[in-house]
Structures are given as structure tokens and as C-alpha cells.
Amino acid sequence: MNATLPQTETLEIPKPPKRLLTYFEDGGRTVGSWLLTTDHKRIGILYLYSIVAFFTIGAIAAAIMRLELITPAGDLVTSDTYNKLFTIHGTVMVWFFLIPSIPSVLGNFVVPLMLGARDLAFPRLNLLSWYLFNLGGLLALYAIAIGGVDTGWTFYTPYSSTFTNTHVVTMVAGVFMAGFSSILTGLNFIVTTHKMRAPGLTWFRLPLFLWSNYATSVILVMATPVLAMTLVLLSIERIWGVGVFDPQLGGDPVLFQHLFWFYSHPAVYIMILPGMGVVSELVTCFARKPIFGYHFVAFASMAIALIGFFVWGHHMFTSGASVYSGLVFSITSYLVAVPSAIKVFNWTMTLHRGRIFLNTPMLYALGFIGLFTVGGLTGLFLAALALDVHVTDTYFVVAHFHYIMVGGMVTGFLGGLHYWWPKITGRLYPESLGRLAALIIFIGFNLTFFPQYVMGYLGMVRRYHAYAPEFQIYHVMSSAGASILGVGYLLPLIYLIWSLKHGKKAPANPWNATGLEWQTPSPPPKHNFAQTPIVTRPPYQYSAETEEHMVYG
Amino acid sequence: MANSHEAVAEQFDDMPQQIEASTLGMWTFLATEILFFGALFLAYIVYRHTYAQAFALAGRHTLILYGTINTALLLTSSFTMSLAIHSAQEGKNKPLLGFLLLTIFLGCGFLLVKGLEYHEDVHEHLFPGAHFTRELPAPGQIFWVLYWVMTGVHSIHLAAGIGLLAVIVWMAWRRRFSSYYHNPVLISGLYWHFVDVIWVWLYALLYLINRH
């Protein structure tokens, strides 16, 4: 990352007379000081609380589903309850966990630090964004509490607008609110990245996390409004019974799908690009080598964001769209593989002849590269028209996007969380437990989702709570894997909380990393830097000499 | 001149940085707004294509007199907004206040006329639902759904714009602006002009097409 002030260049700057207060201390420790804070670091932590809560809810829904699926008969929950469970799982995990996970938690915390800025461009907007997010989340929880929704997270019309008797409008209102929170966060990142870079920090000296965060923000800002309006139209049709999407009233249900996926496919890249950004940071730091092909990795992020806007039709190959539109969307979907592969190859080349340290963040990064590759390649299967018809709405699709979203994004999030944990909290987490958890998650994840590829290919359809007995073996494996995965997720929750009190005090730069965020104390003072840093070098100037100073290793 | 040093928020180094950041912020926000309305425009185009005849018939029921008066009001308000910005750049506080108030006045006039028009629309059974007029073919109702949503969302935006300008008036009243610092006036103007431009499109699509 950015070159930062090497010690020799800071000599002329007098040391501040006494220790600066950390962002925990400065401004007070009261609840009010947190709820009214405009400090990006505190808001990042507020987001962390929120998304952990939502993740727990989504995970509980998943756990009940996996329990139900151990036996072929639908014996634990009714089919109605099952429908509501997968809707809770999808809606909560997509909008209230994955989308804000890396951008709003880690991004909020590290973006200004990486830029050498005191805060985001619009700190109050940032706080408003957190409140909107929680308000939306509470509405969604309210919809769940009063009976739930059974449409699936996609809210397809006319079922959602005309037929279901569940609380679609309340749920949709919650998603609408969370959408505005996304827009404000994205807008804040875009402006901050453009206008608040430290002196000398040119675009091509930006850490790659900032490039992918920027690409993500562009998607947040350009795609989310379309979803918002689509949900408004859906609610209008549902509340007043007037035709927009319902074919009986002259509407076009496929128009809903077009509008929905015009948002939701780019949103899939919201749920992977930030993970890629984190992995770029981790791979170069723990291989002690500059990133291979910096410009390619940076532009690949932008290319994924751009091409991502032109692939939505691949969700509708079986919705009655014409073969020609299918062909076009199939080709554009293949195109996304190019920048994605560029990233994977560049990470691999960075590892090549590097001095590799297998610390916890690096284990997650390596896991990400493997799982993302599997998820990405099976995405190509789905982009192929003929094969897609065969596996549409099967567990093959479920396995594919879980490899991207869980194997990719959640792994990236955990890798980033461990990497920046010393910076965020000022404490080191227990390294051996960290490695153990990373390993458990990798094993549990593959055991959960790999059998789903197989059974999906064999014809196991998604969203059914009862199934033919020949699929039982795969479902049992998947459920067993899910329980291992659950342990894997519980472990970091426990030892990270433990480390807050009992972890060793973290130095400013425990990984001897090159980013600006490591040039300030851990945890940072309220305004991040005692002096605005000046950047004189390109990022990722890792070399063999620095490896001696790794804290762990 | 106001104390311009005070106006720089703590996260910014200096005034130019703050001005650039807020301006870019507003442009980015307007980009999201284009996509927000874009979904409606797309739905309009799709159904206009599918139900060409019904839409042509339905479109003739819009009240062109109200629509035209409103177009005139809003275009004039953009003119007075520009004059307000000009006054701010010159550091003339009194004309600034005057033009801002005039802009707000014209905006309120728009909403008033729109209200009268809505009233008459309802009176003529042009509100979609059970009581919708039987003179039009069934898909004509989709035109009117889109009419209400598009003009409704636009009016909400205009109301928000009036609220925004009210804050700017208050700031101008407190003599917060000068020829050096008046960026809030500028970016509020951007928003105001945007809402105006959206109306120009709505006027063309809802009132003018197929009007022989």
C-alpha cells in the first residue's frame, strides 16, 4: 500500500507532546456518544453490531432449514413455514448482512485511514445511513415477527403482489430503507475517494481495497435506486390492486424480473468485489511481495462493476425471454469471467516465489481464492443457455451463489476482520485459535455446499422442504457440514470478544504492512493521524527484509 | 462577509476541498435520482409499446392546461433559481433572499396547480382502482397508474426541494453566504434544476404525445 512516511522522512516533524486519545476515549464512552457519533470508526463498529445480529437471525433460519432437510419427509416444519424460513434467510442475509458487511463495517473503518483522511466526506450522512439501515432492519424483523413473508428474497410478481397473504409490503419497506442506506454509504465513499486523498496519494497509488470499494460504491449508487422504485411499484400494485406487473390486470411480470435483476445482479458484485479488495491486501501482505499486475487488478474491479450492469438477463433464461436476448446475456455473462480470472491469476502470481506467512487472514485469503474460483467457474456453467435450463432452480444454483457469497464474501470479511482487528480494537486476537477457526470454516463450508452441486445436477430442486429419498445422503452431508460451519463461525465470535479484554496489546503495525492505516496508533486517535501523511511511493512496497518484524510468524 | 473559516467542516482541509466534495456529492445523488426515475420511464416505454392505442387514448385525458401552466411555473422557477445563484456569487444578500423566496413561491404554485389537477382527475374517475372510468380500454389504467406514480414522486421531490430552499433562505437570512462561500446555494440549485428537467420529460410523455 501506500507508501507512507518512512521513518527517515518524518524526522523533521516534532513528535506530539503526549499520547493522543484513542477514538474510544475521545468524545466519551457513554452510549449517547456512540449513538450520536459522526466518527467513521465508531460508525463502522455500530454497523458491526448490527450485522452480527442480522447474521445470527439469518443463520438460525438456515439452521432450521438444514435440520428439516435431514430427512426426506417434511416433518419438522410445514411447507408454509419452510417458505418463510428461506425468505427470512435470503432477505436478511442479502440486504442486512452481505451488502453492508465489508463496505459498511470494514470500509467505514479503513477507507479514511487508507486515504490519510480525517473522516469520510459526509460524516453526518454516514450516521444517517446507519440509522436508515437499522430502521429498515427493524421493519424487516417486524414483518418476520408478525408472520413472515413466503415469496423468497426475489419477491417475484404476481405471487408477491396479488396472491400471497403474507406481509410483503412491510418487508419490502424494510428493504427499501436499507437500500437508501446503501446509496448514502456508496455516495460517501465515492466522494471521499475522489476528493480526500492525502497529498501524493494518486489514483494509482491507492490500495486495491479502495479500488474495489470504489467499484462497489458505483454499483450501490447506480443500481439500488432501480430496486427502490421497483419495490414501490410492487407495493402500489399490492396495496391498491392496480395493474403494474400482474398479467390479469394487463401488467407484465417479466418487467418486474428485468427491473429486479437490473439491481440484483450488480448487487451480486456488491457481495463479492469488496471481498476481492480485502484479498488483494492480504495476499500481498502475507506473501511479502508487491502485488502482481496492480493496474490489471484495479481495472478488473471497474470492469466487473461495469459489465455487471449488462448481465441481468441470465437470471431469466427460462422466463420466456427470446433466444436472442438469451444469447446476448449469455455472452456478456461470460465476459465477466475475464476480469474475475485476471484477479485470480494476479493473486496467484503474487504468491509465486513470495515468502508466505500462513497467518489467519492469509488462510482466509487462500480459502477465498479457491472457493471463489469454484463458485466463479460454476457460474460459467450457468451462463451457458442449455445447461442453465437443465439446472435452473436446483441446488446447483444454490451451491454456486453460496460459493461466491459465503465462500467468497464471508471468507473475505472474516479475513479482513482479523487483519484489521488489531487496528480496530488495539488488541491481538489469539492466532492459533484463529487458524483453527479458519480451517474449520473451510472444511465445514465445503462439506455443506459441495454436495449441493451434485444433488442439484441430479435434479434436486431448491425451495422444497420434502424431497425424494435418493437425495438424502447429500442433504445429510450438507447438514453435517452446516453444523461444522456453525462451530467455525461461533469460534471467532467468542475469541474476538475475549481478545477485547485479554488479548495482547497491538502495536501500530503488527503485520509490518505498508498501508497508511498502519502508520497511526492502534486504535487510532479520533482524527486518525497526528499529521496528514504525505505519500511518496507506490503501494505494496513489501520486501524480504521486513519479514523479520512480523509479530506472528 | 460571514466567518468563512467557521464554515469549513473538520474533515476537510480547506474551503475548495469542501466545495468540490459537496458538489460531487450532489451530482452523484442526482445520478441515483436518474436511475430512480429511470425505472418508471422504462416501465412507461414498455407499456407504451405494448398498449400503443390504449396509451394514446388514455393520454388524451390528461389536463393539458394545468400541465402547461405548471411547465411555465417550473421553468420560470429555474430562471429565478439561476438569478439567486448569480446574486450569491456577487455576494448580494438581499437579491439572493428575494430570488430564493420567489423560487419557493413558484414551486408552491406548481404544487397548488398540481393539487387542483389531481382533484379534477379524481373527479373524472381517472384514479386507478375500482372506480376507474369505463370510457378507456383496460390497459389505459396502466397509463394512469404510471401518471399518478410519476407525477406523485416528482411532486414529493419538488416538496423536498422547497424544504431545501427554505433552509437556504434561513442560512441567507443569517448572512451565512458571501461571494466566497455560497456553495450550498449552488448545489441546491443543481437539485432544483434536476427536478425541473424531470418535469419537462413528464410533460412530454404524459401530456403531449398523441395529442392531435
Side-chain angles (χ1 to χ4, degrees), chain A residues 125-343:
Chain A
L125 211 58
N126 197 18
L127 183 66
L128 174 67
S129 160
W130 181 73
Y131 275 103
L132 280 175
F133 173 72
N134 283 292
L135 211 58
L138 288 177
L139 268 173
L141 292 185
Y142 176 68
I144 292 167
I146 58 175
V149 178
D150 64 353
T151 59
W153 76 282
T154 49
F155 305 117
Y156 267 19
T157 54
Y159 182 71
S160 60
S161 60
T162 309
F163 295 102
T164 178
N165 293 316
T166 54
H167 304 276
V168 176
V169 174
T170 317
M171 182 65 103
V172 154
V175 173
F176 183 87
M177 292 270 217
F180 273 93
S181 153
S182 293
I183 291 173
L184 297 183
T185 301
L187 188 151
N188 225 334
F189 284 150
I190 288 177
V191 174
T192 308
T193 313
H194 270 280
K195 299 296 177 195
M196 304 188 68
R197 302 190 307 275
L201 187 56
T202 58
W203 280 91
F204 291 114
R205 284 178 179 175
L206 287 179
L208 289 166
F209 177 75
L210 291 182
W211 275 98
S212 69
N213 188 67
Y214 182 83
T216 308
S217 305
V218 170
I219 302 175
L220 284 170
V221 161
M222 302 299 278
T224 318
V226 176
L227 174 78
M229 184 50 81
T230 310
L231 296 179
V232 168
L233 289 174
L234 161 63
S235 302
I236 286 171
E237 174 161 298
R238 184 167 173 85
I239 296 169
W240 284 288
V242 296
V244 184
F245 301 122
D246 185 350
Q248 274 188 322
L249 300 165
D252 183 354
V254 180
L255 177 65
F256 175 84
Q257 297 184 20
H258 276 293
L259 289 170
F260 181 83
W261 289 112
F262 180 82
Y263 161 78
S264 288
H265 198 82
V268 168
Y269 298 121
I270 299 173
M271 296 180 255
I272 191 65
L273 275 169
M276 293 171 157
V278 170
V279 169
S280 298
E281 297 297 314
L282 301 184
V283 163
T284 169
C285 175
F286 292 96
R288 312 312 295 173
K289 251 184 77 187
I291 192 98
F292 183 88
Y294 171 91
H295 288 80
F296 278 89
V297 182
F299 280 121
S301 292
M302 299 310 291
I304 289 172
L306 183 73
I307 302 170
F309 276 101
F310 301 99
V311 303
W312 78 89
H314 68 216
H315 293 271
M316 301 157 59
F317 285 159
T318 58
S319 298
S322 81
V323 179
Y324 301 105
S325 99
L327 273 175
V328 171
F329 282 117
S330 176
I331 291 167
T332 52
S333 305
Y334 276 117
L335 276 181
V336 183
V338 177
S340 308
I342 285 175
K343 279 178 182 279

Side-chain angles (χ1 to χ4, degrees), chain B residues 12-148:
Chain B
F12 295 114
D13 292 333
D14 49 26
M15 185 53 81
Q17 190 189 27
Q18 173 167 333
I19 289 176
E20 283 181 25
S22 357
T23 309
L24 180 63
M26 180 51 85
W27 278 108
T28 312
F29 176 70
L30 295 184
T32 74
E33 289 280 37
I34 288 174
L35 271 297
F36 190 63
F37 280 97
L40 288 172
F41 284 120
L42 179 76
Y44 178 92
I45 292 165
V46 167
Y47 290 128
R48 177 120 217 153
H49 177 75
T50 315
Y51 304 118
Q53 272 197 317
F55 264 50
L57 287 172
R60 280 176 212 147
H61 284 70
T62 48
L63 303 167
I64 195 164
L65 179 65
Y66 289 105
T68 310
I69 292 172
N70 263 345
T71 309
L73 284 175
L74 219 48
L75 289 179
T76 314
S77 81
S78 260
F79 178 61
T80 55
M81 186 70 227
S82 305
L83 291 176
I85 290 168
H86 185 71
S87 314
Q89 283 165 336
E90 306 252 294
K92 295 175 180 160
N93 210 45
K94 260 197 190 136
L96 169 62
L97 269 171
F99 285 125
L100 283 173
L101 288 170
L102 194 56
T103 311
I104 290 179
F105 177 75
L106 289 166
C108 292
F110 177 96
L111 289 181
L112 182 72
V113 173
K114 195 73 216 160
L116 292 173
E117 184 186 351
Y118 278 156
H119 181 77
E120 203 154 318
D121 288 336
V122 172
H123 191 69
E124 290 186 22
H125 297 288
L126 291 168
F127 191 82
H131 301 291
F132 190 72
T133 179
R134 303 202 179 277
E135 287 170 37
L136 284 173
Q141 200 172 146
I142 294 185
F143 176 92
W144 280 92
V145 171
L146 290 172
Y147 164 88
W148 283 91

